[in-house]
Amino acid sequence: MNRMTLQEKIGQMVQIERTVASPQVMKNYFIGSVLSGGGSSPGVNASAQEWIKMVNQFQRDALSTRLGIPMIYGIDSVHGHSTVYNATIFPHNIGLGATRDPELVKRIGAATALEARATGIPYLFAPCVAVCRDPRWGRCYESYSEDPEVVSSMTEIVTGLQGDIPSTSPKGVPYVGGKTKVAACAKHYVGDGGTVNGINENNTILSRHGLLSIHMPGYSASIIKGVSTVMVSYSSWNGDKMHGNRDLITGFLKGTLRFRGFVITDWEGLDRMTSPRHANYSNSILRGINAGIDMIMVPMKYKEFIDDLNQLVTNHEIPMSRIDDAVRRVLRVKFTMGLFENPLADETLVNHLGSHEHRELAREAVRKSLVLLKNTNSMLPLPKKGSKILVAGAHADNLGYQCGGWTIQWQGQSGNNATVGTTIMDAIMNTVDKQSSQVVYQENPDTKYLQSEGFSYAIVVVGELPYAETEGNNMNLTIPEPGPTMIKNVCRAVKCVVVVVSGRPVVIEPYLKWIDGLVAAWLPGTEGQGVADVLFGNYGFSGKLSRTWFRSVDQLPMNVGDEHYDPLFPFGFGLTTEPTDDSN
């Protein structure tokens, strides 16, 4: 650091989007980090080799600067390496919370790290350790649970991503265990899941005790496990923007919790400190840096940021000691990761992307995440033999719907062509006895058809359409039509199992009287075979609700432990079944 100029130090604090990065920009501004925003890739269906080529080029540009400090490339990999074609897409966190299996989540972290490294990427903006207290929030599926204890237990994913921290490692010091591991990021600090009415990026109104007891445990648990970075939340706490909260960033996170990694903004986090955005940007930089933020996800207007920060330091409004603290933390993580020794990607790992082993792990996670909510007359498990089976609902044969948001594109998408996987419909076809059973798929069958075909039973797969962040804010939480009408029509005519594909509990009570079997499948990802594994009894149901299933949105927010707690299905609920043999 003694050899670094102010410009070189500021460069280490800057993270820019790959679309504005170039050899000249990397060299002229000494850029310390590059990222892929949601869905930003080197090309449609880009291969692991294409990702590596891009990342390595940025790295060579960084290494060609005067001091040759390597850059760190970051990406959102929130349920597997989910921006990348052919990657294994694991269930979203709400489903993983339902498994109550930290060891499983650790293995998922290790697999995700390997797939990221297979594409040359060493830094992931994961895990989300939010405690979602209101399912109307558009990011609720990124939260493991409404219960801070469940969220804390799931921070075992940090050791999967980064490696097991040595017992001798000092508390708060980041740890990354070699070339198959990545730097992780606990996010979004702090209280992102507690905003009023679940409105994204809004205000969390809560006492300090409430904030620390509900929303902080996931961070302290992650820091004990050596998490490398922490991302600040767009949201406010009691009206104060978290991106400017010196008390909680410098005082509590860096002081009380002794965090020694680096603190990063969210995308345009400093811009969003004001309304309208980017108003009085220089003042937002002043507040954010002095609050204790170390790396800024600018990510586009880097020249303005660098010029403004340079001016603020030159004018002594931001002390050089604060810049030095930020740069020391960024370099500490880079040294810990081994970036100085091994800055370029290892091409020998490319075959780990979407590997059979990882897909089997995701299939296991799907099985364990399914929650059985109703099972009239032991309808489940379903017979594989001698049946005429109706499968209905758009979600039955739509990989995009099944994966949800943050899959290839930021908002997700519809259809089966965006990446590689097994739909629930394909999984059912793979599982039933082909000699004695017939499977018929009708996306939206009419009443006349239902009455004339003599079905043994129906599997109705309905749910939410993909969304991410603010686009997912939803004040009514109803299943979009034709889902509700289809449940009513099919389940009144035929014995039926309803599989709900959603990022949160949704309104289901009005239809419950017609439903024989009800399964919460959450957002299971690419390995739909895990759903059929359990529906047909190869494995038993074991998942437990990681959040309360409400009767009506008028009850919200409603969380376990509340005084007036009257759920449709309580936190922790989940019926179980035993596996059956293959002769049924």
Side-chain angles (χ1 to χ4, degrees):
M1 281 183 60
N2 291 338
R3 295 159 59 199
M4 296 175 75
T5 64
L6 176 59
Q7 286 301 105
E8 287 169 326
K9 289 178 179 178
I10 288 174
Q12 286 302 303
M13 298 170 66
V14 174
Q15 185 178 68
I16 62 173
E17 220 283 328
R18 63 165 202 91
T19 52
V20 297
S22 69
Q24 291 71 33
V25 170
M26 298 299 292
K27 294 172 191 172
N28 294 348
Y29 295 96
F30 312 103
I31 298 297
S33 183
V34 181
L35 86 149
S36 280
S40 178
S41 73
V44 177
N45 298 353
S47 66
Q49 289 87 346
E50 288 173 286
W51 279 92
I52 285 173
K53 183 180 176 184
M54 176 190 71
V55 174
N56 277 351
Q57 186 54 59
F58 290 137
Q59 191 64 278
R60 289 188 182 96
D61 298 334
L63 296 174
S64 71
T65 56
R66 185 177 73 95
L67 295 176
I69 299 172
M71 68 89 204
I72 179 172
Y73 198 100
I75 195 168
D76 285 283
S77 297
V78 297
H79 60 141
H81 195 28
S82 51
T83 299
V84 177
Y85 180 78
N86 196 36
T88 308
I89 310 294
F90 293 92
H92 267 298
N93 288 353
I94 188 171
L96 297 182
T99 70
R100 299 294 200 280
D101 191 341
E103 186 274 336
L104 170 71
V105 170
K106 179 179 178 177
R107 286 187 283 138
I108 289 171
T112 304
L114 258 180
E115 295 208 11
R117 285 290 198 171
T119 60
I121 296 174
Y123 177 28
L124 306 184
F125 307 129
C128 178
V129 295
V131 180
C132 174
R133 302 291 282 179
D134 193 322
R136 292 173 291 188
W137 185 36
R139 305 193 80 153
C140 204
Y141 64 72
E142 296 184 57
S143 168
Y144 293 108
S145 178
E146 70 192 40
D147 178 13
E149 283 189 29
V150 173
V151 172
S152 292
S153 72
M154 293 297 164
T155 61
E156 196 61 26
I157 195 170
V158 173
T159 58
L161 291 165
Q162 298 193 155
D164 288 300
I165 188 166
S167 58
T168 54
S169 185
K171 185 192 172 189
V173 175
Y175 175 77
V176 181
K179 290 197 287 184
T180 62
K181 299 298 180 181
V182 296
C185 178
K187 67 183 189 182
H188 309 85
Y189 188 82
V190 59
D192 53 346
T195 59
V196 175
N197 296 333
I199 298 170
N200 192 39
E201 305 180 20
N202 208 265
N203 188 24
T204 297
I205 301 171
L206 199 59
S207 68
R208 187 177 184 89
H209 172 74
L211 188 79
L212 298 187
S213 62
I214 295 170
H215 298 283
M216 196 63 78
Y219 294 95
S220 47
S222 297
I223 289 164
I224 287 167
K225 294 178 171 84
V227 74
S228 295
T229 73
V230 171
M231 183 183 291
V232 182
S233 178
Y234 291 128
S235 59
S236 303
W237 175 47
N238 296 333
D240 293 330
K241 288 282 187 186
M242 276 307 309
H243 274 79
N245 195 317
R246 190 175 191 279
D247 170 47
L248 285 173
I249 297 173
T250 296
F252 198 85
L253 181 62
K254 292 183 173 183
T256 305
L257 296 183
R258 298 172 63 186
F259 176 60
R260 295 292 177 266
F262 69 76
V263 178
I264 186 169
T265 73
D266 208 330
W267 176 280
E268 294 182 343
L270 298 186
D271 304 65
R272 298 191 195 190
M273 289 175 71
T274 56
S275 184
R277 294 178 186 178
H278 202 74
N280 200 356
Y281 188 49
S282 181
N283 187 59
S284 296
I285 295 170
L286 176 69
R287 288 172 58 203
I289 302 296
N290 278 342
I293 293 170
D294 305 308
M295 183 178 282
I296 291 75
M297 193 185 294
V298 178
M300 301 294 188
K301 300 172 183 173
Y302 56 90
K303 289 171 72 174
E304 181 184 0
F305 171 79
I306 289 168
D307 290 345
D308 283 0
L309 180 54
N310 189 48
Q311 192 68 45
L312 289 165
V313 176
T314 304
N315 293 346
H316 306 293
E317 293 178 76
I318 295 176
M320 186 59 79
S321 59
R322 176 71 273 276
I323 301 298
D324 286 346
D325 172 59
V327 176
R328 186 175 292 110
R329 288 167 177 274
V330 171
L331 293 179
R332 180 181 292 132
V333 170
K334 289 181 178 183
F335 275 112
T336 300
M337 295 169 70
L339 272 181
F340 281 84
E341 295 83 359
N342 297 293
L344 297 174
D346 183 349
E347 296 193 22
T348 64
L349 300 174
V350 293
N351 290 333
H352 288 291
L353 185 69
S355 70
H356 175 73
E357 182 185 359
H358 293 168
R359 291 185 184 277
E360 284 299 306
L361 174 61
R363 181 176 171 180
E364 177 189 348
V366 173
R367 291 196 294 261
K368 291 179 174 178
S369 70
L370 301 177
V371 180
L372 181 58
L373 298 172
K374 186 179 181 183
N375 194 20
T376 304
N377 298 324
S378 299
M379 170 103 185
L380 289 150
L382 297 167
K384 298 172 189 166
K385 292 186 175 179
S387 302
K388 185 175 182 182
I389 306 161
L390 170 67
V391 181
H395 288 67
D397 194 30
N398 194 310
L399 197 62
Y401 286 1
Q402 181 177 309
C403 291
W406 290 113
T407 306
I408 306 302
Q409 300 296 328
W410 173 43
Q411 291 295 324
Q413 65 280 299
S414 175
N416 295 333
N417 298 322
T419 192
V420 178
T422 304
T423 68
I424 294 169
M425 178 63 198
D426 288 340
I428 292 168
M429 295 294 290
N430 293 341
T431 306
V432 299
D433 183 74
K434 291 175 177 59
Q435 259 63 50
S436 63
S437 287
Q438 179 187 359
V439 179
V440 178
Y441 176 56
Q442 283 279 327
E443 187 174 312
N444 189 9
D446 61 34
T447 310
K448 186 178 175 184
Y449 178 81
L450 289 164
Q451 291 167 343
S452 65
E453 288 297 313
F455 291 109
S456 310
Y457 60 85
I459 301 170
V460 181
V461 191
V462 295
E464 295 188 296
L465 304 180
Y467 56 82
E469 299 193 45
T470 302
E471 283 73 2
N473 287 351
N474 187 328
M475 293 301 120
N476 60 48
L477 295 182
T478 51
I479 297 169
E481 287 289 358
T485 301
M486 194 189 318
I487 292 173
K488 197 182 304 181
N489 290 344
V490 175
C491 295
R492 285 198 296 192
V494 187
K495 281 200 302 181
C496 79
V497 172
V498 172
V499 178
V500 180
V501 175
S502 67
R504 52 199 160 189
V506 290
V507 175
I508 200 73
E509 188 177 41
Y511 325 111
L512 206 52
K513 57 181 173 283
W514 298 305
I515 297 170
D516 298 294
L518 178 61
V519 177
W522 314 114
L523 297 169
T526 51
E527 304 315 302
Q529 192 63 50
V531 176
D533 285 344
V534 184
L535 289 181
F536 291 95
N538 292 356
Y539 294 80
F541 280 93
S542 61
K544 305 296 179 189
L545 286 179
S546 57
R547 53 180 319 101
T548 300
W549 201 295
F550 58 87
R551 297 177 185 277
S552 157
V553 289
D554 298 337
Q555 297 176 293
L556 300 176
M558 177 175 59
N559 294 285
V560 63
D562 287 357
E563 188 178 348
H564 303 289
Y565 190 67
D566 180 31
L568 182 61
F569 303 108
F571 171 86
F573 180 79
L575 303 172
T576 57
T577 58
E578 292 300 316
T580 57
D581 63 41
D582 272 347
S583 62
N584 71 333

